[in-house]
């Protein structure tokens, strides 16, 4: 804690509040005693000036365009690491040594199957259900299948639940996909690595051999690394809030998936690809730029803008590189959507409206093109995001549950409804 104090004067009475410093990033004013001191709350809808918790996991500098997992820049992890190593890092705070990594990979790999009864659960859904709807239901149902890892007071059960979530999410996501397209489920293959196994479960069919392309598996793995955590975003805050009541981790992650689904959050990659498809050709871009700038038109450029990044999203740069690698590997020389995306980005980045509002491409701008090239339909994009973000949710949930000062999250409000009034019998109401 630094020596800096913040003074708040209300009706001539001053009170002093401590300023707490992090290792990097903005300091915070500790107003936790404000209500007791003054009978007043702070008002910050959308939490633009509120730090909801203390965390050691992920750091974002939105002005610089920096993203660190446990201090390591995302670019270095994406270039040199792999997804399971990032999972270990996020969960335990350090990169694993070789034996630690082998042990962790082994533990995750041994949990990839789901209870056979769960496959019956899928068949209760309509085939045309959005796979995110299926994910919310099936992941929530995990707590009905794995009772032996729902006691959050037991560190061993917390660990088992964390490993189970990371291990089973690809299996569930692939099953949601297979169910949607009417193909048989493909069981996990434990001799494949995490991302290759996921591609296999999604794209293999029992009637012929499917060989995973290592370049595409590496691209999938990098996409998972990029999405693994992003500090206190809407879905992570949802997981923390759900978990603050003592709810089991499977239920909390299901809450996170529900929040992620929205088009302002994880649903933006699907929306961005749909938008690029709707634009269709480079000559129609000005029309859509004009619509995005029109205050009377609800249209927004999907994949542009971010609550925290007021600079190029560092993940978008890596994703753009990955897009080119995937298209080259697949021999796709001309992708009209990529042409539209690159020209749209060029125009937006030089347009006064986008420049003055610091609206840059975010990770979702290029991820749709890459995922589509990998073979996924737009309905699956947010599911893949949920799969990757599960480790971030779990790491944040674990950090919260293990904090001895943790209390239930209970925000207050500025009430602007009717003041107290008496009940009126129906025959007297007008
Ligand atoms: N297109 C056009 N204008 C935009 C866009 C956009 N994509 N994004 C923001 N603006 C404008 C707003 O109209 C607003 O203008 P104003 O100040 O004149 O009213 C200003 O920029 C600020 O926008 P807010 O909505 O207040 O910013 P906020 O931080 O609340 O929203 C958000 C951030 C939701 C990401 C927003 O930029 C957006 O809707 N983008 C498109 C959806 C998207 O790509 N979401 C993915 C986010 S990344 C992720 O979840 C992984």
């Amino acid at each position: 804690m630094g020596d800096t104090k913040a003074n708040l004067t209300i009706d001539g009475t001053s009170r002093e509040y401590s300023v707490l410093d992090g290792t990097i990033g903005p300091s915070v004013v500790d107003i936790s005693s404000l209500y007791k001191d003054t009978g007043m709350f702070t008002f910050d809808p959308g939490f633009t000036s509120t730090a909801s918790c203390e965390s050691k996991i992920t750091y974002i500098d939105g002005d610089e365009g920096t993203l660190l997992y446990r201090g390591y820049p995302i670019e270095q992890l994406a270039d040199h690491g792999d997804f399971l190593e990032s999972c270990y890092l996020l969960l335990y705070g350090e990169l694993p040594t070789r034996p630690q990594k082998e042990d962790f990979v082994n533990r995750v790999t041994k949990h990839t199957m789901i209870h056979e009864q769960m496959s019956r659960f899928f068949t209760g859904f309509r085939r045309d259900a959005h796979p995110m709807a299926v994910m919310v239901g099936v992941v929530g149902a995990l707590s009905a299948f794995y009772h032996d890892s729902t006691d959050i007071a037991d560190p061993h059960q917390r660990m088992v639940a964390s490993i189970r979530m990371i291990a089973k999410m690809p299996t569930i996501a692939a099953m949601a996909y297979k169910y949607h397209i009417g193909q048989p489920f493909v069981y996990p293959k434990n001799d494949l690595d995490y991302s290759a196994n996921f591609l296999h479960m999604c794209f293999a069919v029992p009637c012929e051999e499917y060989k995973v392309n290592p370049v595409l598996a590496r691209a999938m793995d990098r996409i998972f690394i990029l999405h693994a955590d992003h500090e206190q975003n809407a879905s992570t805050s949802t997981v923390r809030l759900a978990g603050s009541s003592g709810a089991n981790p499977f239920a909390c992650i299901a809450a996170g998936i529900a929040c992620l689904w929205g088009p302002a959050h994880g649903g933006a990659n699907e929306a961005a690809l749909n938008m690029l498809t709707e634009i269709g050709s480079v000559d129609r871009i000005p029309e859509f730029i004009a619509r995005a700038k029109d205050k009377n038109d609800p249209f927004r450029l999907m994949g542009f803008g971010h609550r925290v990044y007021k600079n190029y999203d560092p993940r978008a740069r890596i994703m753009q590189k990955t897009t080119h690698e995937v298209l080259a590997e697949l021999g796709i020389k001309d992708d009209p959507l990529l042409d539209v995306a690159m020209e749209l980005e060029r125009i937006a980045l030089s347009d006064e409206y986008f420049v003055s509002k610091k609206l840059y491409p975010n990770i979702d701008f290029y991820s749709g093109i890459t995922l589509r090239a990998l073979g996924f339909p737009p309905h699956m994009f947010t599911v893949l995001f949920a799969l990757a973000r599960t480790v971030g949710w779990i790491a944040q949930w674990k950090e919260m549950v293990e904090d001895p000062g943790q209390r239930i999250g209970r925000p207050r409000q500025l009430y602007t409804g009717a003041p107290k009034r008496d009940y009126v019998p129906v025959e007297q109401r007008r």
Side-chain angles (χ1 to χ4, degrees):
M1 193 189 304
D3 297 330
T4 316
K5 301 283 178 202
N7 284 298
L8 178 69
T9 305
I10 302 171
D11 284 342
T13 307
S14 271
R15 287 179 186 83
E16 204 174 67
Y17 292 94
S18 299
V19 173
L20 312 180
D21 300 322
T23 31
I24 37 177
S27 301
V28 301
V29 182
D30 178 2
I31 47 97
S32 50
S33 65
L34 183 79
Y35 179 58
K36 195 166 61 119
D37 297 344
T38 66
M40 285 186 184
F41 302 133
T42 53
F43 184 59
D44 182 21
F47 309 120
T48 47
S49 301
T50 296
S52 62
C53 63
E54 185 185 325
S55 181
K56 294 181 168 54
I57 301 174
T58 294
Y59 175 74
I60 303 171
D61 185 327
D63 295 321
E64 291 290 322
T66 304
L67 169 60
L68 310 176
Y69 292 166
R70 301 282 191 179
Y72 294 101
I74 188 68
E75 294 84 354
Q76 294 181 22
L77 293 169
D79 278 348
H80 308 299
D82 61 47
F83 179 64
L84 282 187
E85 196 171 69
S86 296
C87 290
Y88 186 99
L89 174 69
L90 289 166
L91 279 175
Y92 302 114
E94 296 297 337
L95 284 167
T97 60
R98 192 178 290 278
Q100 286 169 334
K101 187 170 172 180
E102 280 169 11
D103 175 59
F104 183 69
V105 170
N106 187 40
R107 276 190 291 153
V108 170
T109 308
K110 293 286 155 54
H111 280 280
T112 49
M113 289 215 302
I114 59 166
H115 193 293
E116 190 59 21
Q117 196 63 22
M118 279 200 90
S119 56
R120 316 271 187 284
F121 206 85
F122 279 84
T123 54
F125 290 101
R126 287 168 55 134
R127 292 262 180 197
D128 62 355
H130 194 292
M132 278 300 272
V134 175
M135 293 299 287
V136 176
V138 175
V139 173
L142 284 172
S143 42
F145 287 87
Y146 298 101
H147 304 134
D148 58 345
S149 53
T150 53
D151 178 0
I152 67 161
D154 177 348
H156 178 71
Q157 292 202 26
R158 288 202 298 270
M159 187 272 288
V160 174
S162 306
I163 299 283
R164 277 185 169 146
M165 287 298 322
I166 295 167
K168 294 184 195 309
M169 212 58 176
T171 313
I172 296 171
M175 289 172 84
Y177 173 57
K178 287 297 199 188
Y179 185 71
H180 188 63
I181 59 171
Q183 287 185 1
F185 297 140
V186 175
Y187 284 91
K189 260 173 86 74
N190 286 355
D191 56 342
L192 294 175
D193 68 30
Y194 191 86
S195 300
N197 177 45
F198 177 61
L199 291 179
H200 186 265
M201 287 190 291
C202 287
F203 300 123
V205 285
C207 46
E208 59 188 55
E209 206 196 332
Y210 174 82
K211 268 199 121 18
V212 180
N213 178 328
V215 175
L216 303 187
R218 175 71 188 127
M220 188 78 261
D221 203 69
R222 199 176 292 132
I223 292 170
F224 289 158
I225 296 173
L226 297 182
H227 288 88
D229 195 43
H230 215 223
E231 56 119 306
Q232 309 312 319
N233 57 83
S235 56
T236 303
S237 299
T238 302
V239 170
R240 278 190 179 254
L241 199 56
S244 77
S245 72
N248 75 69
F250 304 112
C252 297
I253 300 302
I257 295 174
C259 177
L260 186 76
W261 193 0
H265 192 7
N269 50 15
E270 182 177 347
L273 191 85
N274 291 341
M275 178 194 74
L276 293 175
T277 311
E278 195 190 342
I279 296 175
S281 60
V282 167
D283 56 303
R284 293 193 63 206
I285 292 174
E287 177 195 328
F288 284 83
I289 294 266
R291 283 186 61 195
K293 288 157 51 172
D294 182 356
K295 282 266 160 266
N296 300 316
D297 189 330
F299 174 78
R300 282 186 168 199
L301 277 193
M302 299 315 283
F304 264 79
H306 196 275
R307 170 59 65 78
V308 181
Y309 292 120
K310 301 303 168 197
N311 200 328
Y312 211 101
D313 179 341
R315 303 167 303 170
R317 276 192 212 291
I318 306 166
M319 185 57 83
Q320 192 198 48
K321 205 172 97 195
T322 304
T323 306
H324 287 291
E325 281 169 17
V326 166
L327 295 185
E329 177 63 19
L330 293 171
I332 302 173
K333 296 219 167 41
D334 291 309
D335 182 339
L337 291 196
L338 184 63
D339 295 343
V340 172
M342 291 182 63
E343 183 61 6
L344 183 61
E345 176 185 344
R346 192 191 65 73
I347 295 177
L349 290 183
S350 55
D351 188 292
E352 168 55 20
Y353 175 91
F354 291 89
V355 172
S356 65
K357 293 184 189 304
K358 298 187 175 168
L359 297 169
Y360 291 85
N362 58 50
I363 187 172
D364 294 321
F365 190 60
Y366 284 105
S367 64
I369 297 177
T370 323
L371 296 174
R372 190 186 63 140
L374 285 171
F376 292 103
H379 271 22
M380 276 298 288
F381 295 175
T382 317
V383 172
L384 302 181
F385 191 161
L387 187 174
R389 182 56 58 84
T390 294
V391 63
W393 290 330
I394 279 286
Q396 301 269 352
W397 169 83
K398 181 170 167 291
E399 180 178 66
M400 181 192 70
V401 172
E402 292 173 1
D403 175 356
Q406 186 262 323
R407 301 170 73 194
I408 188 167
R410 177 55 170 94
R412 300 302 299 271
Q413 62 177 5
L414 173 66
Y415 178 70
T416 52
K420 186 171 179 236
R421 51 188 168 162
D422 289 326
Y423 179 83
V424 181
V426 68
E427 55 281 3
Q428 292 173 25
R429 289 179 214 156
R430 286 191 285 139

